[in-house]
């Protein structure tokens, strides 16, 4: 009460106004609505002008396009919620594809297909565990640790593939991206199953609480006796494993393992949760936000393609959209630099 | 007496509806050093902040050189030649000492729009300013490289280097060792010789005797004593500080059964003793007992509680909990054994502000609310939280609402609720459980503390508000310089005695 009264006064004022407003229209909800509204402003006119945009076939192709991004975006979302960042996801995608392709070389049959899937995912889990240990036990900032593994995983992928593209001709493996049930290819099911699982884990289990608590205030989490190091390692393992799974699915789609195939994916993986309202500071947001983020990015890419916009411009537009989405969120939540 | 350089006339200040200062009359003379004394929350820092222009008074008038001050902003204060060194460090850690001393007033060459820094000149001038005070600080070191206490001295030098007419120091010695405090004394002597007017706040009697020409004592926002230092005895000062009206009557505390202590700390120390003396101490608490920890800021109360809980290691000594040795202390083990710690800074170390009320209340007991595969029993979580919050008379809309939206008092209750939700609490360590919250919320928390004690929980309450401890405790242990200097029994509580022990008068 005796020091810095002006700064302690402010939050309570905000809290008071927030309490007076009806719960439905509070600022946070408004903030998440703004991005939805902006999204609708893009989709609805486009759907009217180009009806093929909302055709079943096009929606499936959008979902197919985003399924790989979604998996790494979910993993990234978990890491960001826990207060970290994972830059190695793109390299893991490439490495997992290479590992699967190497395993499948000269082997046919369902058995080897399963081994290849397991191998790709395991590669991701191992890199993720390495990240987690570096961050949680060796106290290396996650930005730096995963910047290191970004390069390491890429290099390991190059070594395993001798820098070559390794073609895949195992039929059961390639069928992963071809087979469809009720007209919906398998990767889309995988995306939604993973989403559902993560959503349940994060919102309904003790581990989910730990993630939010560690990301929101690691000091308080430690004082409350939470196993903060285990939580951090788990977050990176989840991210690595999902990136590995994404790499396997991508290898099936492109029928080859290429070490560099995921390079640059980390940008989308980070952008998606951030667009969806997950705070880069950690502890705030929902995994549904990450799904929304990839859907938004995928839909925009697809719409621009339908409108015949050159892919070069798509990069520029995508970059502005990322900034715009966060800017809208900043206005709505009245966040300030100081 | 000469003309006053600064006058406070009937100055009053309220935050919201809470009056903090009322009818303050104070005159500062050129070249005199005034010690502003008073217990925590007496209004000392607020008064300094008003004089410095950081906040505006609600009523009354501030005059500088006989002219009333109309604008209360930091820059207006500096324009009048007033510099303040607050309790929080305000240096940029990655910059050098010299950069910090010149921050905002850099020496530049050429056009002022180019702003080419004359680094060499700044280093030399900064080093000269430091050397003039005789402290071994290198102006080229970055602030993060030097100790916290030297950083504090750099702040004072920075303020002095701006050639203030009035220098305000808010608890300048709180992070200084006794050696460095000597440096500060020399600095103040030099300032006085230069004709600078100095006001400083402190809790320590010996500093007042050494530095002050005049003493002003604040109690509950009013000046209760104003005189030249040489005319006052320390007893007079202490008497002016205490005698605060108790907010509540003494609570009726449950009897403590004569059983072995549930928590015993033997030959304990959290820091190296000053000058090699053996200052290790013992501490024991029985079930159902409430022990208050008193002492000025930095006396070692928080370090004691944190090390017992296992947040950082103790320097020496052992801890026995429920009769068994407890050496490998950590937060999770402590909680498993029923030893709970509620930290003093609820926003930094207590609550996860981005989370809901229930999520925060049960944070330390998630195991109890989760079943197979860690699945949370959410309805039970909210029921139990609601029950605990109601026992504490918390005002909240929903247990799902963000804890950040609660007022300070209700946030504190959401944190204290953890003690009620805990499985089988044996010992509670409460660090400043009522800091910065209103009287009603305090009473609710007192009531719960007594209720828990009645159920056999041992409770250690650390507080800088003595009346609170006197209301609440069976015994009060007074910390000074890292150890327990003296323990008072409830029937022998004398506020003046306790204050005297704490400030070393």
């Amino acid at each position: 009460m005796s020091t810095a009264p002006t700064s302690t006064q402010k939050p309570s004022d905000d809290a008071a106004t927030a309490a007076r407003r009806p719960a439905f229209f509070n600022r946070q909800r408004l903030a998440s609505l703004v991005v939805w509204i902006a999204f609708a402003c893009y989709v609805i006119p486009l759907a009217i002008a180009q009806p093929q945009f909302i055709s079943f076939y096009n929606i499936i192709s959008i979902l197919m396009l985003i399924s790989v991004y979604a998996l790494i975006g979910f993993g990234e979302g978990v890491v960001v919620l826990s207060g970290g960042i994972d830059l190695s996801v793109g390299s893991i995608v490439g490495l997992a594809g290479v590992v699967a392709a190497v395993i499948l070389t000269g082997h046919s049959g369902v058995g080897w297909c399963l081994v290849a899937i397991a191998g790709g995912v395991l590669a991701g889990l191992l890199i993720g565990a390495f990240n987690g240990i570096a961050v949680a036990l060796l106290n290396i900032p996650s930005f730096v640790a995963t910047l290191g593994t970004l390069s390491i995983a890429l290099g390991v992928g190059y070594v395993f593939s001798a820098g070559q593209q390794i073609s895949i001709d195992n039929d059961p493996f390639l069928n992963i991206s071809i087979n469809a049930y009720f007209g919906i290819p398998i990767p889309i099911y995988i995306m939604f199953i993973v989403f559902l699982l993560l959503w349940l884990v994060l919102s309904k289990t003790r581990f989910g609480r730990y993630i939010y608590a560690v990301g929101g205030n690691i000091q308080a989490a430690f004082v409350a006796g939470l196993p903060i190091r285990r939580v951090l390692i788990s977050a990176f393992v989840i991210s690595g494993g999902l990136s590995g799974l994404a790499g396997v699915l991508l290898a099936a789609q492109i029928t080859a393992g290429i070490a560099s195939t995921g390079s640059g994916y980390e940008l989308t993986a980070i952008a998606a949760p951030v667009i969806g309202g997950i705070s880069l500071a950690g502890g705030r947001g929902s995994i549904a936000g990450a799904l929304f983020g990839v859907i938004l990015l995928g839909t925009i890419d697809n719409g621009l393609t339908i409108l015949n916009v050159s892919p070069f411009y798509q990069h520029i537009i995508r970059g502005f959209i990322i900034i715009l989405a966060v800017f809208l969120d900043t206005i709505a939540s009245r966040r300030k630099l100081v | 007496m000469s003309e006053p350089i600064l006058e406070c006339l009937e100055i009053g200040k309220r935050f919201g509806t809470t009056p903090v200062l009322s009818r303050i009359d104070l005159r500062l003379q050129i070249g005199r050093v005034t010690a502003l004394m008073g217990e925590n929350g007496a209004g000392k820092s607020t008064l300094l902040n008003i004089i410095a222009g950081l906040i505006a008074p609600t009523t009354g008038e501030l005059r500088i050189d006989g002219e009333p001050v109309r604008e209360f902003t930091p820059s207006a204060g500096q324009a009048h030649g007033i510099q303040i060194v607050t309790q929080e460090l305000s240096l940029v850690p990655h910059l050098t000492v010299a950069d910090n001393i010149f921050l905002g007033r850099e020496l530049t060459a050429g056009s002022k729009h180019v702003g080419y820094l004359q680094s060499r000149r700044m280093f030399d001038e900064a080093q000269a300013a430091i050397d003039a005070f005789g402290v071994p600080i290198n102006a080229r070191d970055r602030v993060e490289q030097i100790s916290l206490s030297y950083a504090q001295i750099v702040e004072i030098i920075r303020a002095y280097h701006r050639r203030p007419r009035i220098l305000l120091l808010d608890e300048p010695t709180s992070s200084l060792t006794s050696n460095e405090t000597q440096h500060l004394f020399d600095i103040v002597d030099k300032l006085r010789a230069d004709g600078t007017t100095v006001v400083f706040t402190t809790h320590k009697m010996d500093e007042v005797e050494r530095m002050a020409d005049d003493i002003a004592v604040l109690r509950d926002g009013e000046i209760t004593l104003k005189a030249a230092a040489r005319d006052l005895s320390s007893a007079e000062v202490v008497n002016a500080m205490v005698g605060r009206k108790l907010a509540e009557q003494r609570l009726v505390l449950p009897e403590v059964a004569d059983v072995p202590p549930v928590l015993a700390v033997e030959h304990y120390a959290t820091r190296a003793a000053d000058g090699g003396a053996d200052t290790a101490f013992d501490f024991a608490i029985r079930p159902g007992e409430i022990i208050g920890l008193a002492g000025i800021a930095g006396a070692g109360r928080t370090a004691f509680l944190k090390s017992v809980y296992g947040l950082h290691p103790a320097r020496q000594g052992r801890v026995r909990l429920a009769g068994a040795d407890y050496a490998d202390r950590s937060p999770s083990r402590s909680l498993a054994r029923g030893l709970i710690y509620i930290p003093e800074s609820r926003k930094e170390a207590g609550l996860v502000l981005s989370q809901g009320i229930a999520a925060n209340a049960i944070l330390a007991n998630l195991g109890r609310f989760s079943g197979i595969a860690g699945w949370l029993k959410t309805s039970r979580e909210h029921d139990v939280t609601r029950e605990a919050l109601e026992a504490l008379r918390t005002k909240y809309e929903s247990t799902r609402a963000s804890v950040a939206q609660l007022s300070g008092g209700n946030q504190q209750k959401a944190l204290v609720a953890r003690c009620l939700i805990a499985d089988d609490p044996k010992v509670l360590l409460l660090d400043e459980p009522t800091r910065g919250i209103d009287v009603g919320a305090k009473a609710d928390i007192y009531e719960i503390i007594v209720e828990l004690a009645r159920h056999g929980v041992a409770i250690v309450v650390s507080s800088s508000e003595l009346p609170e401890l006197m209301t609440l405790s069976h015994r009060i242990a007074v910390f000074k310089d890292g150890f327990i200097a003296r323990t008072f029994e409830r029937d022998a509580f004398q506020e003046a005695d306790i204050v005297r022990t704490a400030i070393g008068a």
Side-chain angles (χ1 to χ4, degrees), chain A residues 135-223:
Chain A
V135 170
L137 301 184
L138 309 181
N139 302 313
I140 299 168
S142 60
F143 191 94
V144 177
T146 60
L147 192 61
T149 43
L150 179 153
S151 184
I152 293 170
L154 185 65
V156 172
Y158 279 132
V159 170
F160 282 179
S161 61
Q164 302 295 308
Q165 164 173 343
I166 303 176
S167 315
I168 299 172
D169 53 9
N170 177 300
D171 284 332
F173 189 81
L174 297 179
N175 280 341
I176 296 172
S177 65
I178 297 166
N179 279 1
Y181 299 92
F182 309 106
I184 300 170
I186 294 172
I188 296 175
Y189 286 107
I190 293 178
M191 170 175 81
F192 281 112
I193 290 170
V194 169
F195 166 71
L196 206 63
L197 277 177
L198 273 185
W199 182 76
L200 287 175
V201 165
L202 286 173
S203 60
K204 301 286 174 197
T205 71
R206 174 158 58 142
F207 174 72
R209 272 303 156 72
Y210 283 1
I211 291 271
Y212 278 100
V214 167
N217 187 344
I218 193 164
Q219 186 71 32
F222 181 56
V223 170

Side-chain angles (χ1 to χ4, degrees), chain B residues 180-315:
Chain B
E180 291 150 357
T181 304
Q182 289 301 326
H183 279 306
L184 181 76
F185 293 158
D186 296 341
I187 291 173
V188 169
D189 284 340
K190 190 167 152 51
L191 290 166
R192 182 191 287 121
D194 289 353
T196 312
T197 306
V198 178
V199 183
F200 72 100
T201 65
T202 185
H203 290 287
K204 296 177 189 162
M205 212 52 218
D206 54 348
E207 291 170 8
V208 176
E209 281 160 11
R210 172 67 177 74
M211 285 197 281
D213 301 313
D214 299 308
I215 295 178
V217 178
L218 276 175
R219 186 212 296 160
D220 289 333
E222 290 178 37
I223 290 189
T224 50
L225 182 68
K226 223 170 15 177
R230 61 170 184 277
D231 302 335
L232 288 174
S233 70
S234 69
E236 283 173 288
V237 174
V238 169
N239 282 335
M241 282 167 67
V242 301
R244 209 172 353 164
K245 289 183 287 289
L246 294 190
E248 299 81 23
Q249 276 125 21
R250 285 205 183 181
L251 296 164
V252 181
L253 298 186
E255 289 286 312
V256 181
D258 193 14
V259 293
V262 56
L263 175 76
V265 168
E266 292 156 16
H267 209 71
Y268 204 79
T270 54
R271 62 167 88 152
D274 237 0
D278 181 19
T279 53
F281 60 92
D282 296 339
F283 176 88
I285 186 167
R286 288 172 293 176
E289 194 172 15
I290 304 172
I291 297 186
L293 305 186
I296 62 174
R301 291 175 285 144
T302 296
F304 171 63
L305 295 181
K306 280 186 172 173
S307 69
V308 168
Y309 181 62
L311 282 170
H312 49 60
R315 197 172 171 85

Side-chain angles (χ1 to χ4, degrees), chain B residues 43-58:
Chain B
K44 305 184 296 286
S45 298
T46 307
L47 181 55
L48 288 191
N49 286 341
I50 289 174
I51 294 175
L54 302 183
I55 52 176
T58 317

Side-chain angles (χ1 to χ4, degrees), chain B residues 335-372:
Chain B
L335 290 166
R337 290 165 197 236
L339 174 65
I340 301 169
Y341 169 68
I342 301 291
E344 67 178 321
S345 46
R346 59 176 170 267
K347 286 184 180 167
E348 286 77 46
L351 297 169
V352 183
L353 288 176
S354 51
Q355 288 280 284
I357 296 169
N360 270 288
I362 68 155
L363 190 63
N365 298 283
L366 275 166
R368 236 181 83 206
F369 294 91
S370 48
I372 304 155

